[in-house]
Amino acid sequence: MKQHVLVLGGTGKTGKRIVERLNNLGHMVRVGSRSANPSFDWNKPANWPEVLSGIERMYITYQPDLAVPGAKEAIAALTKVAQDQGVKKLVLLSGKGEVEAEHCEQIVLNSGIDTTIIRASWFNQNFSESHFLEPIQHGVVALPNAGSKAPYVDANDLADAAVEVLLNDGHEGKIYELTGPRLLDFETIVNEIAQATGRDLKYIPISLEEYVGAMKSMGLPSDVVWLIEYLFTEVLDNPDNQIITRDVEELLGRQPIDFSDYVAETAKTGIWNQVVA
Ligand SMILES: NC(=O)c1ccc[n+]([C@@H]2O[C@H](COP(=O)([O-])OP(=O)(O)OC[C@H]3O[C@@H](n4cnc5c(N)ncnc54)[C@H](OP(=O)(O)O)[C@@H]3O)[C@@H](O)[C@H]2O)c1
């Protein structure tokens, strides 16, 4: 049966892939983002009932992160609107190892609406569609936590998993922890991208203090600096987040995408060869 699905963050790394998959399956998809019409803005709840009107299933990504102050209140308010509008199924994208995000998960799980949580590791696509792209284009990637490893997960696996749990029964009340198949540190990542692109890329290990100092001197807002510092300490440095799970395989019946396959596909687009001075 065709469903009316709202995809919040529907132009972002996971959302745009979910929108594409749902459209291909013939569902009626509404994108929820500030640039959509009607516009959805986490900071402007007044028109949320209009955006959710007629929606049966909803994928939720919160911006910028479920760990930030105010996220719990916003998630609770959205959940209430979803109840009022008769939404039947919720899927929340959460972050692995974020205690604050787990509070938000509980709000959605306890809403009375069928809910599934997908709790993700850091995404591969952070290196091609987000904050780690520019340093790669620049040729020098200076990041802290040189010794930390993470099981980066591919946004395509997240999208496939989200579509599975959005559309099919049997996932209600469940929390899936989605990781990639391999633990990677920054040096390995930069070397893999260098090899695939033929570029001379350098990884420079720096301290967290140097990284935070650099962000401040670039004029980044204090809440953004706080979030990045949080993600590098509480999340990337957390040994629990280095556990590789089998949840992608359980959900999709296939192995998760390996970082090398992501690198090979992304290198073909040429994005990493757009050199920034
Ligand atoms: N990146 C990671 O490694 C990672 C790992 C685990 C969990 N997560 C979680 O993933 C979520 C981000 O999802 P994503 O990476 O798929 O998205 P994304 O690529 O960061 O894209 C952001 C999306 O949200 C929309 N957006 C931005 N600000 C908004 C606002 N104020 N109100 C409404 N919409 C807004 C954007 O569209 P407009 O600009 O048109 O509004 C866009 O569609 C966060 O909650 C993060 O904690 C990320």
Side-chain angles (χ1 to χ4, degrees):
M1 202 168 62
K2 302 303 177 197
Q3 301 286 334
H4 286 87
V5 190
L6 172 63
V7 180
L8 298 186
T11 57
K13 292 185 284 302
T14 58
K16 70 179 174 195
R17 290 174 167 85
I18 294 168
V19 168
E20 187 186 6
R21 283 157 174 74
L22 292 171
N23 278 330
N24 288 342
L25 291 168
H27 295 284
M28 281 73 74
V29 186
R30 188 175 300 163
V31 169
S33 88
R34 293 166 303 178
S35 52
N37 187 12
S39 164
F40 175 88
D41 190 330
W42 281 106
N43 302 310
K44 295 178 185 164
N47 78 327
W48 291 358
E50 181 194 354
V51 179
L52 270 69
S53 169
I55 291 299
E56 294 158 298
R57 291 162 194 252
M58 173 163 62
Y59 174 74
I60 308 170
T61 55
Y62 182 74
Q63 289 299 323
D65 194 287
L66 290 173
V68 305
K72 266 197 308 190
E73 292 75 10
I75 290 291
L78 180 77
T79 306
K80 173 77 174 61
V81 175
Q83 287 165 338
D84 294 346
Q85 295 297 321
V87 179
K88 301 279 183 299
K89 171 84 203 202
L90 302 174
V91 175
L92 175 70
L93 173 67
S94 181
K96 210 163 165 283
E98 296 183 25
V99 176
E100 293 81 355
E102 289 174 21
H103 296 148
C104 295
E105 293 172 6
Q106 287 307 316
I107 292 169
V108 188
L109 283 166
N110 293 325
S111 64
I113 303 174
D114 283 348
T115 293
T116 307
I117 308 293
I118 55 175
R119 227 186 238 171
S121 291
W122 282 19
F123 307 165
N124 293 344
Q125 280 73 10
N126 291 342
F127 296 92
S128 49
E129 299 174 25
S130 194
H131 36 286
F132 298 146
L133 170 62
E134 205 179 305
I136 290 171
Q137 291 176 327
H138 183 64
V140 180
V141 180
L143 288 171
N145 297 59
S148 300
K149 293 184 174 186
Y152 289 84
V153 65
D154 199 276
N156 290 297
D157 283 344
L158 294 174
D160 283 343
V163 169
E164 163 64 30
V165 300
L166 263 170
L167 297 180
N168 297 305
D169 293 336
H171 305 295
E172 299 77 19
K174 291 195 177 168
I175 299 174
Y176 293 102
E177 296 219 318
L178 302 179
T179 75
R182 201 153 52 101
L183 289 171
L184 296 155
D185 59 25
F186 289 128
E187 185 163 28
T188 309
I189 287 170
V190 171
N191 287 343
E192 285 206 23
I193 296 173
Q195 208 167 6
T197 54
R199 287 198 56 199
D200 179 20
L201 303 177
K202 283 188 180 42
Y203 169 64
I204 300 178
I206 57 171
S207 69
L208 185 64
E209 291 70 30
E210 286 174 297
Y211 191 51
V212 168
M215 286 187 294
K216 284 182 180 160
S217 63
M218 281 160 56
L220 287 183
S222 57
D223 53 341
V224 175
V225 175
W226 175 87
L227 177 60
I228 293 173
E229 195 172 0
Y230 170 89
L231 292 172
F232 272 90
T233 49
E234 300 296 316
V235 181
L236 190 57
D237 231 8
N238 180 345
D240 288 348
N241 291 341
Q242 301 189 2
I243 296 166
I244 294 169
T245 71
R246 294 175 60 88
D247 288 7
V248 169
E249 198 179 343
E250 185 189 323
L251 269 175
L252 304 179
R254 61 162 175 78
Q255 293 295 316
I257 295 167
D258 188 82
F259 192 77
S260 296
D261 296 325
Y262 152 75
V263 168
E265 282 306 305
T266 308
K268 286 184 206 159
T269 69
I271 184 107
W272 288 323
N273 289 85
Q274 294 170 18
V275 178
V276 175

PDB file of all heavy atoms in Angstrom, residues 116-134:
ATOM      1  N   THR A 116      10.606   3.197  15.708  1.00  0.00           N
ATOM      2  CA  THR A 116      11.869   2.463  15.601  1.00  0.00           C
ATOM      3  C   THR A 116      13.002   3.484  15.639  1.00  0.00           C
ATOM      4  O   THR A 116      12.902   4.555  15.030  1.00  0.00           O
ATOM      5  CB  THR A 116      11.944   1.668  14.276  1.00  0.00           C
ATOM      6  OG1 THR A 116      10.766   0.863  14.164  1.00  0.00           O
ATOM      7  CG2 THR A 116      13.189   0.784  14.251  1.00  0.00           C
ATOM      8  N   ILE A 117      14.058   3.137  16.366  1.00  0.00           N
ATOM      9  CA  ILE A 117      15.231   4.017  16.450  1.00  0.00           C
ATOM     10  C   ILE A 117      16.341   3.421  15.607  1.00  0.00           C
ATOM     11  O   ILE A 117      16.637   2.224  15.723  1.00  0.00           O
ATOM     12  CB  ILE A 117      15.748   4.129  17.913  1.00  0.00           C
ATOM     13  CG1 ILE A 117      14.612   4.504  18.891  1.00  0.00           C
ATOM     14  CG2 ILE A 117      16.930   5.086  17.987  1.00  0.00           C
ATOM     15  CD1 ILE A 117      14.028   5.865  18.727  1.00  0.00           C
ATOM     16  N   ILE A 118      16.948   4.262  14.754  1.00  0.00           N
ATOM     17  CA  ILE A 118      18.200   3.811  14.137  1.00  0.00           C
ATOM     18  C   ILE A 118      19.313   4.703  14.702  1.00  0.00           C
ATOM     19  O   ILE A 118      19.327   5.901  14.520  1.00  0.00           O
ATOM     20  CB  ILE A 118      18.149   3.775  12.595  1.00  0.00           C
ATOM     21  CG1 ILE A 118      17.739   5.095  11.972  1.00  0.00           C
ATOM     22  CG2 ILE A 118      17.200   2.688  12.131  1.00  0.00           C
ATOM     23  CD1 ILE A 118      17.822   5.067  10.443  1.00  0.00           C
ATOM     24  N   ARG A 119      20.188   4.026  15.441  1.00  0.00           N
ATOM     25  CA  ARG A 119      21.290   4.702  16.148  1.00  0.00           C
ATOM     26  C   ARG A 119      22.557   4.471  15.335  1.00  0.00           C
ATOM     27  O   ARG A 119      23.003   3.331  15.195  1.00  0.00           O
ATOM     28  CB  ARG A 119      21.461   4.017  17.492  1.00  0.00           C
ATOM     29  CG  ARG A 119      21.567   4.915  18.656  1.00  0.00           C
ATOM     30  CD  ARG A 119      21.875   4.057  19.865  1.00  0.00           C
ATOM     31  NE  ARG A 119      20.882   4.202  20.895  1.00  0.00           N
ATOM     32  CZ  ARG A 119      20.841   3.439  21.976  1.00  0.00           C
ATOM     33  NH1 ARG A 119      21.710   2.447  22.133  1.00  0.00           N
ATOM     34  NH2 ARG A 119      19.926   3.653  22.893  1.00  0.00           N
ATOM     35  N   ALA A 120      23.092   5.547  14.785  1.00  0.00           N
ATOM     36  CA  ALA A 120      24.169   5.374  13.806  1.00  0.00           C
ATOM     37  C   ALA A 120      25.529   5.773  14.351  1.00  0.00           C
ATOM     38  O   ALA A 120      25.653   6.687  15.169  1.00  0.00           O
ATOM     39  CB  ALA A 120      23.864   6.222  12.573  1.00  0.00           C
ATOM     40  N   SER A 121      26.556   5.094  13.839  1.00  0.00           N
ATOM     41  CA  SER A 121      27.938   5.549  14.010  1.00  0.00           C
ATOM     42  C   SER A 121      28.167   6.766  13.119  1.00  0.00           C
ATOM     43  O   SER A 121      27.294   7.133  12.342  1.00  0.00           O
ATOM     44  CB  SER A 121      28.924   4.486  13.529  1.00  0.00           C
ATOM     45  OG  SER A 121      28.910   3.405  14.355  1.00  0.00           O
ATOM     46  N   TRP A 122      29.360   7.316  13.178  1.00  0.00           N
ATOM     47  CA  TRP A 122      29.691   8.416  12.266  1.00  0.00           C
ATOM     48  C   TRP A 122      29.583   7.929  10.826  1.00  0.00           C
ATOM     49  O   TRP A 122      29.863   6.768  10.530  1.00  0.00           O
ATOM     50  CB  TRP A 122      31.110   8.914  12.546  1.00  0.00           C
ATOM     51  CG  TRP A 122      31.166   9.806  13.756  1.00  0.00           C
ATOM     52  CD1 TRP A 122      30.236   9.901  14.752  1.00  0.00           C
ATOM     53  CD2 TRP A 122      32.205  10.727  14.087  1.00  0.00           C
ATOM     54  NE1 TRP A 122      30.642  10.829  15.677  1.00  0.00           N
ATOM     55  CE2 TRP A 122      31.835  11.344  15.307  1.00  0.00           C
ATOM     56  CE3 TRP A 122      33.411  11.081  13.489  1.00  0.00           C
ATOM     57  CZ2 TRP A 122      32.633  12.304  15.932  1.00  0.00           C
ATOM     58  CZ3 TRP A 122      34.210  12.048  14.115  1.00  0.00           C
ATOM     59  CH2 TRP A 122      33.819  12.647  15.309  1.00  0.00           C
ATOM     60  N   PHE A 123      29.179   8.867   9.937  1.00  0.00           N
ATOM     61  CA  PHE A 123      28.897   8.483   8.542  1.00  0.00           C
ATOM     62  C   PHE A 123      30.154   8.564   7.664  1.00  0.00           C
ATOM     63  O   PHE A 123      30.934   9.521   7.776  1.00  0.00           O
ATOM     64  CB  PHE A 123      27.881   9.432   7.890  1.00  0.00           C
ATOM     65  CG  PHE A 123      26.587   9.641   8.617  1.00  0.00           C
ATOM     66  CD1 PHE A 123      25.765  10.702   8.257  1.00  0.00           C
ATOM     67  CD2 PHE A 123      26.167   8.791   9.632  1.00  0.00           C
ATOM     68  CE1 PHE A 123      24.554  10.918   8.905  1.00  0.00           C
ATOM     69  CE2 PHE A 123      24.955   9.002  10.282  1.00  0.00           C
ATOM     70  CZ  PHE A 123      24.157  10.073   9.922  1.00  0.00           C
ATOM     71  N   ASN A 124      30.279   7.649   6.700  1.00  0.00           N
ATOM     72  CA  ASN A 124      31.311   7.779   5.656  1.00  0.00           C
ATOM     73  C   ASN A 124      31.190   9.141   4.969  1.00  0.00           C
ATOM     74  O   ASN A 124      32.182   9.791   4.670  1.00  0.00           O
ATOM     75  CB  ASN A 124      31.124   6.691   4.570  1.00  0.00           C
ATOM     76  CG  ASN A 124      31.377   5.296   5.083  1.00  0.00           C
ATOM     77  OD1 ASN A 124      31.971   5.119   6.140  1.00  0.00           O
ATOM     78  ND2 ASN A 124      30.940   4.298   4.328  1.00  0.00           N
ATOM     79  N   GLN A 125      29.948   9.526   4.688  1.00  0.00           N
ATOM     80  CA  GLN A 125      29.693  10.717   3.868  1.00  0.00           C
ATOM     81  C   GLN A 125      30.115  12.015   4.553  1.00  0.00           C
ATOM     82  O   GLN A 125      30.105  13.074   3.925  1.00  0.00           O
ATOM     83  CB  GLN A 125      28.219  10.763   3.458  1.00  0.00           C
ATOM     84  CG  GLN A 125      27.880   9.861   2.276  1.00  0.00           C
ATOM     85  CD  GLN A 125      27.870   8.365   2.613  1.00  0.00           C
ATOM     86  OE1 GLN A 125      27.930   7.979   3.775  1.00  0.00           O
ATOM     87  NE2 GLN A 125      27.784   7.522   1.603  1.00  0.00           N
ATOM     88  N   ASN A 126      30.541  11.963   5.822  1.00  0.00           N
ATOM     89  CA  ASN A 126      31.111  13.162   6.438  1.00  0.00           C
ATOM     90  C   ASN A 126      32.348  13.625   5.660  1.00  0.00           C
ATOM     91  O   ASN A 126      32.716  14.790   5.707  1.00  0.00           O
ATOM     92  CB  ASN A 126      31.543  12.883   7.890  1.00  0.00           C
ATOM     93  CG  ASN A 126      30.345  12.660   8.801  1.00  0.00           C
ATOM     94  OD1 ASN A 126      29.226  13.027   8.469  1.00  0.00           O
ATOM     95  ND2 ASN A 126      30.586  12.058   9.954  1.00  0.00           N
ATOM     96  N   PHE A 127      32.982  12.680   4.928  1.00  0.00           N
ATOM     97  CA  PHE A 127      34.203  13.009   4.196  1.00  0.00           C
ATOM     98  C   PHE A 127      33.930  13.490   2.770  1.00  0.00           C
ATOM     99  O   PHE A 127      34.856  13.871   2.064  1.00  0.00           O
ATOM    100  CB  PHE A 127      35.149  11.790   4.174  1.00  0.00           C
ATOM    101  CG  PHE A 127      35.613  11.414   5.552  1.00  0.00           C
ATOM    102  CD1 PHE A 127      34.913  10.468   6.310  1.00  0.00           C
ATOM    103  CD2 PHE A 127      36.705  12.041   6.125  1.00  0.00           C
ATOM    104  CE1 PHE A 127      35.309  10.146   7.594  1.00  0.00           C
ATOM    105  CE2 PHE A 127      37.110  11.726   7.416  1.00  0.00           C
ATOM    106  CZ  PHE A 127      36.413  10.783   8.157  1.00  0.00           C
ATOM    107  N   SER A 128      32.681  13.444   2.341  1.00  0.00           N
ATOM    108  CA  SER A 128      32.379  13.877   0.968  1.00  0.00           C
ATOM    109  C   SER A 128      31.189  14.824   0.875  1.00  0.00           C
ATOM    110  O   SER A 128      31.025  15.525  -0.116  1.00  0.00           O
ATOM    111  CB  SER A 128      32.114  12.664   0.065  1.00  0.00           C
ATOM    112  OG  SER A 128      31.191  11.784   0.677  1.00  0.00           O
ATOM    113  N   GLU A 129      30.355  14.875   1.921  1.00  0.00           N
ATOM    114  CA  GLU A 129      29.159  15.723   1.856  1.00  0.00           C
ATOM    115  C   GLU A 129      29.041  16.592   3.097  1.00  0.00           C
ATOM    116  O   GLU A 129      27.965  17.117   3.373  1.00  0.00           O
ATOM    117  CB  GLU A 129      27.902  14.832   1.727  1.00  0.00           C
ATOM    118  CG  GLU A 129      27.899  13.982   0.476  1.00  0.00           C
ATOM    119  CD  GLU A 129      26.733  12.997   0.410  1.00  0.00           C
ATOM    120  OE1 GLU A 129      25.689  13.250   1.032  1.00  0.00           O
ATOM    121  OE2 GLU A 129      26.879  11.966  -0.275  1.00  0.00           O
ATOM    122  N   SER A 130      30.114  16.694   3.875  1.00  0.00           N
ATOM    123  CA  SER A 130      29.979  17.420   5.132  1.00  0.00           C
ATOM    124  C   SER A 130      31.323  18.007   5.567  1.00  0.00           C
ATOM    125  O   SER A 130      32.211  18.210   4.735  1.00  0.00           O
ATOM    126  CB  SER A 130      29.401  16.468   6.189  1.00  0.00           C
ATOM    127  OG  SER A 130      28.961  17.172   7.317  1.00  0.00           O
ATOM    128  N   HIS A 131      31.468  18.205   6.876  1.00  0.00           N
ATOM    129  CA  HIS A 131      32.561  19.038   7.393  1.00  0.00           C
ATOM    130  C   HIS A 131      33.978  18.542   7.116  1.00  0.00           C
ATOM    131  O   HIS A 131      34.908  19.331   7.165  1.00  0.00           O
ATOM    132  CB  HIS A 131      32.369  19.274   8.891  1.00  0.00           C
ATOM    133  CG  HIS A 131      31.794  18.105   9.635  1.00  0.00           C
ATOM    134  ND1 HIS A 131      30.466  17.753   9.544  1.00  0.00           N
ATOM    135  CD2 HIS A 131      32.360  17.191  10.440  1.00  0.00           C
ATOM    136  CE1 HIS A 131      30.242  16.685  10.277  1.00  0.00           C
ATOM    137  NE2 HIS A 131      31.368  16.312  10.828  1.00  0.00           N
ATOM    138  N   PHE A 132      34.181  17.241   6.817  1.00  0.00           N
ATOM    139  CA  PHE A 132      35.549  16.777   6.548  1.00  0.00           C
ATOM    140  C   PHE A 132      35.918  16.851   5.063  1.00  0.00           C
ATOM    141  O   PHE A 132      37.033  16.493   4.688  1.00  0.00           O
ATOM    142  CB  PHE A 132      35.749  15.337   7.050  1.00  0.00           C
ATOM    143  CG  PHE A 132      35.576  15.165   8.537  1.00  0.00           C
ATOM    144  CD1 PHE A 132      35.037  13.997   9.060  1.00  0.00           C
ATOM    145  CD2 PHE A 132      35.960  16.160   9.434  1.00  0.00           C
ATOM    146  CE1 PHE A 132      34.871  13.824  10.431  1.00  0.00           C
ATOM    147  CE2 PHE A 132      35.797  16.008  10.812  1.00  0.00           C
ATOM    148  CZ  PHE A 132      35.249  14.830  11.308  1.00  0.00           C
ATOM    149  N   LEU A 133      34.979  17.300   4.211  1.00  0.00           N
ATOM    150  CA  LEU A 133      35.282  17.375   2.768  1.00  0.00           C
ATOM    151  C   LEU A 133      36.324  18.458   2.463  1.00  0.00           C
ATOM    152  O   LEU A 133      37.286  18.217   1.738  1.00  0.00           O
ATOM    153  CB  LEU A 133      33.990  17.654   1.975  1.00  0.00           C
ATOM    154  CG  LEU A 133      34.191  18.004   0.492  1.00  0.00           C
ATOM    155  CD1 LEU A 133      34.846  16.841  -0.258  1.00  0.00           C
ATOM    156  CD2 LEU A 133      32.863  18.357  -0.171  1.00  0.00           C
ATOM    157  N   GLU A 134      36.118  19.641   3.024  1.00  0.00           N
ATOM    158  CA  GLU A 134      36.986  20.768   2.659  1.00  0.00           C
ATOM    159  C   GLU A 134      38.464  20.520   2.982  1.00  0.00           C
ATOM    160  O   GLU A 134      39.327  20.786   2.136  1.00  0.00           O
ATOM    161  CB  GLU A 134      36.474  22.047   3.330  1.00  0.00           C
ATOM    162  CG  GLU A 134      36.885  23.278   2.569  1.00  0.00           C
ATOM    163  CD  GLU A 134      36.366  24.546   3.218  1.00  0.00           C
ATOM    164  OE1 GLU A 134      35.145  24.652   3.424  1.00  0.00           O
ATOM    165  OE2 GLU A 134      37.199  25.405   3.537  1.00  0.00           O
TER     166      GLU A 134
END
